[in-house]
């Protein structure tokens, strides 16, 4: 069923929700988002309004709020967050906490893997997003991913695979064929004595403002974020990508020749010195990704999906998984930057890459009845 609010709409296909936001400003975008989530009866609203959830989020906000003073959050994104709260009547502080607590609580962040493939006639980006297994189980039940396309005047239109009510981004691609994917670094020394942009909002700014790799490099250098991460920036037009290894006080760029593979540790020798804990699972995963893609001149979307499903190093997930697919895998999808397509698993049990079918989603389909159709693939 399809629901509308203003110029925006939401619909469900084969267990996946697709949300197109097309409003005049960020507050209106947030308000439309909330109204459409309510109309579609997304289970996340019921979950967040449960007495136990409200108590837990209130407690978590009280524990973490003193640290939020170090976060730099542009007003337009706070306006969008307020739109969520005003439309759903979910407390603003609860939504704020859900959006930015991962910038404070390092162990509960995202552990991800990305592969960018530069074929002769297409550029593909494959990604698995992992959480701690107990969070993956909870998220797949109460906060399943939504494919969201955002169009706001004076900003570049972009599409990302999002957590409900997430004002930032951890992945996505924009109308200029630029894709960004974040990989949160956990076991690392980091220190900052001034306000920094949150990781997820750096990603969103890249999607809204960047047209090429040079612009991306300039924006990232100007907006070094609060937390360490490896950011994979891929350009469809330039047919290449860059990995930005970012620490609040240091940055390095890796420019791979051919296929780009990125996980959750610093790969360069100099940046690796900043690690202060276990990175072996991430290193094993990265080696496996490179082995799965080496000596292949062209990789189709179906072949890339099969690579994302690989669990040859086991499904175990502790600090991180050794396999691309593991017990923490929450999202699994492929972006076809050339043809504006998304192939995404609708799995509702962990690991998501193995428990569902991959749906084909056309970002630019102009059919008025169903402008962004999804088909099983």
């Amino acid at each position: 069923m399809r629901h509308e609010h203003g110029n925006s709409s939401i619909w469900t296909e084969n267990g996946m929700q697709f949300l197109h936001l097309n409003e005049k400003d960020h507050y209106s975008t947030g308000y439309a988002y909330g109204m459409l989530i309510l109309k579609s009866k997304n289970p996340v609203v019921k979950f967040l309004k449960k007495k136990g959830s409200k108590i837990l989020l209130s407690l978590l906000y009280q524990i973490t709020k003193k640290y939020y003073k170090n976060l730099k959050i542009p007003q337009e994104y706070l306006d969008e967050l307020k739109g969520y709260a005003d439309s759903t009547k979910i407390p603003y502080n609860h939504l704020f906490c859900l959006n930015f607590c991962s910038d404070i609580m390092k162990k509960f962040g995202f552990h991800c893997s990305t592969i960018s493939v530069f074929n002769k006639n297409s550029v593909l980006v494959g990604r698995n997003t992992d959480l701690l297994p107990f969070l993956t189980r909870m998220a797949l039940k109460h906060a399943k991913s939504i494919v969201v396309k955002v169009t706001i005047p004076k900003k570049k239109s972009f599409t990302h695979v999002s957590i409900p009510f997430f004002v930032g981004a951890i992945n996505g691609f924009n109308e200029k064929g630029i894709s960004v994917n974040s990989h949160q670094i956990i076991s690392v020394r980091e220190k900052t004595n001034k306000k920094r942009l949150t990781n997820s909002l750096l990603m969103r700014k890249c999607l809204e403002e960047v047209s090429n790799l040079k612009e991306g490099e300039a924006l990232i250098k100007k907006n070094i974020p609060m937390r360490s991460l490896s950011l994979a920036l891929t350009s469809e037009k330039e047919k290449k990508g860059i990995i930005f290894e970012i620490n609040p006080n240091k940055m390095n760029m890796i420019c791979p020749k051919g296929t780009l593979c990125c996980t959750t540790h610093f790969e360069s020798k100099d940046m690796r010195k900043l690690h202060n804990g276990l990175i072996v699972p991430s290193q094993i995963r990265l080696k496996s990704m490179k082995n799965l893609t080496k000596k292949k001149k062209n990789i189709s979307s179906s072949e890339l999906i099969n690579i994302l499903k690989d669990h040859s190093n086991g499904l175990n997930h502790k600090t991180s998984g050794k396999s691309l697919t593991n017990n923490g895998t929450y999202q699994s999808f492929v972006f076809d930057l050339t043809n504006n397509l998304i192939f995404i698993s609708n799995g509702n049990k962990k690991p998501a890459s193995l428990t569902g079918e991959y749906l084909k989603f056309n970002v630019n389909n102009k059919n008025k009845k169903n402008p962004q159709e999804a088909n099983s693939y």
Side-chain angles (χ1 to χ4, degrees), residues 18 24 41 51 66 68 89 97 107 110-111 115 145 212 217 242 252 261 330 350 356 364 367:
F18 303 89
K24 63 181 181 179
K41 297 182 179 179
K51 183 177 180 180
K66 66 179 180 180
Y68 293 132
K89 308 307 177 187
C97 183
K107 291 185 178 180
F110 303 97
H111 317 261
I115 301 171
S145 298
N212 53 57
E217 179 183 346
I242 301 174
N252 180 62
C261 296
Y330 166 58
K350 66 180 182 72
N364 288 338
N367 186 300

Side-chain angles (χ1 to χ4, degrees), residues 6-272:
N7 294 318
S8 302
S9 58
I10 192 170
W11 61 97
T12 304
E13 294 280 348
N14 297 319
M16 285 296 302
Q17 284 197 321
F18 303 89
L19 174 60
H20 184 194
L21 298 164
N22 185 15
E23 302 299 330
K24 63 181 181 179
D25 54 35
H26 284 78
Y27 176 81
S28 301
T29 297
Y31 196 90
Y33 192 131
M35 290 301 298
L36 291 168
I37 291 292
L38 286 174
K39 289 181 179 181
S40 67
K41 297 182 179 179
N42 188 298
V44 71
V45 176
K46 183 178 179 181
F47 177 72
L48 293 177
K49 289 188 175 183
K50 283 184 176 181
K51 183 177 180 180
S53 298
K54 291 167 74 173
I55 292 172
L56 179 62
L57 286 169
S58 293
L59 180 62
L60 183 60
Y61 180 76
Q62 289 302 317
I63 292 171
T64 58
K65 68 177 183 180
K66 66 179 180 180
Y67 300 105
Y68 293 132
K69 65 183 180 180
N70 296 320
L71 302 182
K72 180 181 176 182
I73 305 173
Q75 185 60 46
E76 59 191 6
Y77 302 122
L78 294 176
D79 292 342
E80 191 167 321
L81 203 61
K82 188 174 187 303
Y84 298 166
D86 288 350
S87 57
T88 62
K89 308 307 177 187
I90 296 171
Y92 175 87
N93 287 346
H94 292 183
L95 292 169
F96 184 98
C97 183
L98 284 170
N99 270 270
F100 304 119
C101 66
S102 64
D103 286 276
I104 305 300
M105 303 169 67
K106 297 174 67 171
K107 291 185 178 180
F108 297 95
F110 303 97
H111 317 261
C112 311
S113 308
T114 297
I115 301 171
S116 295
V117 179
F118 305 96
N119 296 321
K120 183 178 179 180
N121 297 314
S122 66
V123 175
L124 307 178
V125 178
R127 177 182 170 92
N128 283 353
T129 300
D130 302 336
L131 304 171
L132 295 176
F134 81 93
L135 289 176
T136 296
R137 188 184 304 110
M138 184 183 299
L140 286 171
K141 182 178 180 180
H142 301 292
K144 194 172 179 180
S145 298
I146 306 175
V147 178
V148 183
K149 182 175 182 179
V150 183
T151 303
I152 299 175
K154 298 182 181 180
K155 302 286 185 180
K156 290 176 176 58
S157 177
F158 69 93
T159 302
H160 64 138
V161 179
S162 181
I163 304 163
F165 295 125
F166 196 56
V167 72
I170 57 174
N171 63 73
F173 66 99
N174 69 18
E175 62 185 82
K176 297 297 184 179
I178 291 293
S179 176
V180 291
N181 287 274
S182 69
H183 310 78
Q184 192 166 323
I185 309 295
I186 295 177
S187 303
V188 65
R189 295 187 300 276
E190 49 190 20
K191 184 178 180 181
T192 180
N193 56 6
K194 63 179 181 179
K195 282 192 173 186
R196 300 273 189 174
L197 193 67
T198 71
N199 286 8
S200 64
L201 293 181
L202 170 61
M203 299 290 289
R204 177 154 176 183
K205 283 179 72 67
C206 285
L207 290 168
E208 290 184 325
E209 299 177 23
V210 171
S211 299
N212 53 57
L213 294 176
K214 186 176 181 180
E215 288 182 5
E217 179 183 346
L219 187 145
I220 292 165
K221 286 181 176 179
K222 188 178 178 181
N223 295 277
I224 298 297
M226 181 73 178
R227 291 286 315 281
S228 296
L229 79 157
S230 286
L231 190 160
L233 186 69
T234 304
S235 172
E236 194 277 331
K237 291 181 180 178
E238 296 163 276
K239 282 191 162 44
K240 61 181 179 180
I242 301 174
I243 297 172
F244 293 87
E245 297 182 320
I246 305 169
N247 179 272
N249 298 299
K250 198 172 188 178
M251 191 183 84
N252 180 62
M253 293 166 55
I254 299 175
C255 302
K257 293 182 179 180
T259 301
L260 177 155
C261 296
C262 188
T263 56
T264 50
H265 69 277
F266 290 140
E267 190 176 359
S268 67
K269 184 177 180 180
D270 191 39
M271 294 294 287
R272 205 180 307 148

Side-chain angles (χ1 to χ4, degrees), residues 307-364:
I307 290 171
L308 293 176
K309 291 180 178 180
D310 181 78
H311 53 282
S312 56
N313 294 322
L315 291 172
N316 191 40
H317 183 293
K318 290 186 178 180
T319 55
S320 188
K322 295 179 181 179
S323 299
L324 264 163
T325 280
N326 55 72
N327 283 327
T329 301
Y330 166 58
Q331 299 172 339
S332 184
F333 54 86
V334 171
F335 294 149
D336 182 336
L337 303 185
T338 303
N339 298 298
N340 292 297
L341 300 173
I342 298 176
F343 304 86
I344 181 169
S345 172
N346 65 355
N348 55 17
K349 293 182 180 180
K350 66 180 182 72
S353 49
L354 300 182
T355 61
E357 61 179 339
Y358 283 75
L359 307 180
K360 180 180 177 181
F361 173 59
N362 189 337
V363 172
N364 288 338

